Amino acid sequence: MDRTFQVDLRGVVDLLSHHLYSSPRVYLRELLQNAVDAVTARRAAEPGAPAAIAIDTTGTTLTITDTGIGLSEDQVHELLATIGRSSKRDELGFARHEFLGQFGIGLLSAFLVADEVTVITRSHTGAPAVEWVGRADGTYRIAAAERADTGTTVTLSARPGAETWFAAPTVIELATLYGSMLPFPVTVGGARVAGDGPPWRADDRPAGARLADLVGYAQDTVGFTPFDVVELDVPQAGLTGVAYVLPFQANPAERAGHRVYLKGMLLTESADGLLPGWAFFARCVVDATELRPTASREALYDDGLLDEVREALGAQLRGWLVGLAATDPGRLARFLGIHHLGVKALALHDDDMLALVDEWLPVETNMGRMTLGEFRARHGRIRYTSTAEDFRQLAAVASAQGLAVVNGGYTYDSEIITRLPALDPGLVVQRLEPGEVMTRLAPLDPAVELGLRPFLASAQRALDRLGCEVVLRAFDPAALSVLYLIDRDAAFQSELKATRAKADQLWAGVLAAFEKPAEDRPQLVLNHRNPLVRRICALTDPAMIGLAVEALYGQALLLGYHPIRPADAALLNRSFLGLLDAAVPQEDNQ
């Protein structure tokens, strides 16, 4: 025999309060949503019907009255006394997309703060008024009531300990928060707190006044004066709103919170996923009619429509950037000074943004700061270093050899540089490798190099244990005494060996499988045009040569921002103390 499920109302309320809703404060949102749906339903049937919601509180009792469609006794049974039966709601008209929710589950949220809820309602059909009294223990009663006007009044009596949610300042704050964008008035204690509609609404305000309202809304609600305001419109989602461009640099990894309304009612103040990840420089306030909320109505449901909205909003922000480049280059330059990371992230995938970055965003080069477009115009091809460390070490040397180099070590710069042929197919883009710099350094005169062979042999013995090759060259600038050049494969093998030395036997064996002889060892290049290096080359004591070359090796690592291994640190310490000991005369031991 089939049986009917029995519902434990206390259990349902516990489920709502502890697992569905984030806070009891949503009780007022749910009551307000029910009132909004009732007013919307009546205006659909009677376009000239009054539209207003009034809230009053004594601190222990709260009433919310609407001029909505009202309910008959049969509808009270179906909507207030039944949980989860959607078919009748469809027939009664409360499941259409114009409405925010259904009466049954929304009214249950009142039991988060009250043990008893009273509803007095009169239908627009002229049916007699009805009183429904529901209790948290799952019982209810229905009786005839007196009410002259069409509409509904819901009364809540605060449960012990929940009085704070009925305090007038709290009620005003919640009503303003949730209903600020409703198109009809909401009052608390007779004072209007909401109902002016969104600040981006279409009306007869002058353009300047409209912009001032949008900026004022950002200051009051979002908490900052925006760099710019971008109006948004996605018709397929019934979405309108604004994107506020942040006037300060944002952290790309920080979760961006957007303010989302559904049909004029606040859904969440911290929606994420509304904009593409690259658009972390903007905060949105939007109202939509077609986006779906989650069960708790505190977040957006992630579906195909939300994906379309995200793409459309991203396109509108991109269009704003392109338009700014065409109409106000100075303002664009100020924006890029704040939010260059977001624009560069977009340029990795979008050719329009790539062209904008190429034309407007300055980069660091060894010829001074300039845009990539200016660099290409002056030098034809683009050479770049993939790390800031390589640039710091090689920039001066490359400049002296007539090589123009871009520092590609900043976030996204290398990737953007390698994408530039998408704008200019004939462009040659080349990463500057240490080996190319080495070929540009002039060798010594054979007779001079022959005379320095004893010095080179002693120097090489000092650095053999570090796997580094000592080379003598003559190059500008003469003030630079030494270079440490290492290609990527050699650097990887060096790091691998250092890690293997620290690992246990098991992992050392695993890492050994990736180890292979490096074709090129790191090179310590001594500049013979440097006066100090020439004096060091004149040394004949192998011990002093070793100390001097070890000190130059340490200086080259530090100047090039290379990682310091334990063996390097020990070498630095030994060479420093050795040179100090040689420089300071020893006292006679009397």
Side-chain angles (χ1 to χ4, degrees), residues 200-213:
W200 58 83
R201 63 190 178 277
D203 53 24
D204 57 358
R205 287 173 295 171
R210 176 187 175 88
L211 179 60
D213 287 345

Side-chain angles (χ1 to χ4, degrees), residues 106-227:
L107 191 62
L108 279 180
S109 66
F111 291 112
L112 298 174
V113 295
D115 285 326
E116 185 173 280
V117 179
T118 300
V119 178
I120 297 178
T121 182
R122 179 169 184 173
S123 173
H124 76 299
T125 62
V130 180
E131 179 186 61
W132 177 91
V133 180
R135 305 177 187 86
D137 62 4
T139 63
Y140 72 93
R141 63 177 175 82
I142 295 178
E146 293 294 328
R147 183 184 176 94
D149 300 325
T150 297
T152 301
T153 299
V154 180
T155 302
L156 280 64
S157 298
R159 114 174 0 137
E163 293 86 359
T164 182
W165 297 107
F166 286 63
T170 301
V171 173
I172 291 173
E173 178 186 353
L174 293 178
T176 305
L177 174 68
Y178 290 119
S180 62
M181 292 203 185
L182 291 173
F184 43 79
V186 178
T187 61
V188 177
R192 181 164 176 160
V193 298
D196 295 327
W200 58 83
R201 63 190 178 277
D203 53 24
D204 57 358
R205 287 173 295 171
R210 176 187 175 88
L211 179 60
D213 287 345
L214 291 173
V215 172
Y217 181 86
Q219 293 169 334
D220 296 339
T221 307
V222 187
F224 59 82
T225 301
F227 177 87

Side-chain angles (χ1 to χ4, degrees), residues 389-390 393 484-486 556-565:
E389 290 76 13
D390 283 349
Q393 185 176 17
Y484 180 76
L485 301 181
I486 181 171
L557 291 181
L558 295 174
L559 290 177
Y561 294 85
H562 296 286
I564 304 296
R565 301 170 297 176

Side-chain angles (χ1 to χ4, degrees), residues 250-541:
N251 181 359
E254 184 179 337
R255 179 178 171 182
H258 306 288
R259 200 176 182 94
V260 177
Y261 293 78
L262 291 185
K263 307 177 183 74
M265 284 287 296
L266 178 68
L267 178 75
T268 177
E269 300 171 271
S270 56
D272 59 352
L274 189 65
L275 291 180
W278 55 262
F280 53 81
F281 54 81
R283 297 291 181 268
C284 291
V285 182
V286 300
D287 183 34
T289 60
E290 304 301 325
L291 291 177
R292 295 171 56 194
T294 57
S296 65
R297 279 183 271 181
E298 295 178 325
L300 289 172
Y301 186 81
D302 197 350
D303 57 9
L305 181 58
L306 183 58
D307 291 339
E308 293 179 21
V309 167
R310 187 181 302 116
E311 184 176 346
L313 295 182
Q316 291 175 30
L317 282 174
R318 182 183 62 189
W320 167 77
L321 280 171
V322 174
L324 203 61
T327 60
D328 196 344
R331 189 168 178 79
L332 175 66
R334 292 194 298 274
F335 168 80
L336 291 177
I338 303 171
H339 297 297
H340 55 280
L341 281 180
V343 176
K344 289 198 290 186
L346 179 55
L348 299 182
H349 312 285
D350 186 278
D351 287 346
D352 289 338
M353 287 298 100
L354 180 63
L356 187 147
V357 167
D358 178 57
E359 183 177 359
W360 295 105
L361 190 64
V363 294
E364 183 180 9
T365 81
N366 62 342
M367 303 296 177
R369 289 187 65 81
M370 65 185 75
T371 66
L372 289 170
E374 292 171 337
F375 189 93
R376 290 190 292 121
R378 294 182 187 181
H379 304 289
R381 68 171 61 196
I382 291 187
R383 288 186 177 88
Y384 71 98
T385 61
S386 56
T387 67
E389 290 76 13
D390 283 349
F391 180 82
R392 293 188 187 103
Q393 185 176 17
L394 300 178
V397 178
S399 178
Q401 314 310 313
L403 296 178
V405 182
V406 178
N407 184 358
Y410 294 107
T411 305
Y412 303 130
D413 281 3
S414 290
E415 294 89 337
I416 287 173
I417 291 170
T418 56
R419 282 205 71 227
L420 286 177
L423 302 179
D424 184 359
L427 176 65
V428 176
V429 175
Q430 180 182 2
R431 181 174 55 217
L432 182 65
E433 297 288 358
E436 182 181 357
V437 174
M438 189 64 181
T439 62
R440 299 274 181 151
L441 304 182
L444 299 186
D445 180 88
V448 174
E449 188 169 5
L450 181 63
L452 292 176
R453 280 188 178 179
F455 165 80
L456 279 174
S458 296
Q460 187 61 62
R461 282 194 297 271
L463 295 188
D464 268 340
R465 62 182 177 276
L466 298 174
C468 183
E469 180 183 0
V470 181
V471 180
L472 269 172
R473 290 289 187 271
F475 56 88
D476 292 323
L480 183 63
S481 60
V482 65
L483 281 176
Y484 180 76
L485 301 181
I486 181 171
D487 64 21
R488 290 187 300 161
D489 289 339
F492 173 76
Q493 292 299 322
S494 177
E495 290 184 23
L496 188 64
K497 288 179 180 179
T499 305
R500 183 183 173 192
K502 297 178 183 178
D504 57 32
Q505 185 175 1
L506 174 61
W507 283 109
V510 173
L511 295 174
F514 297 94
E515 192 171 324
K516 62 180 181 180
E519 296 181 1
D520 297 310
R521 293 195 299 172
Q523 292 180 319
L524 185 70
V525 185
L526 307 183
N527 185 4
H528 197 255
R529 291 181 184 170
N530 180 267
L532 176 61
V533 171
R534 286 202 301 272
R535 287 161 54 196
I536 293 173
C537 290
L539 294 173
T540 56
D541 181 359

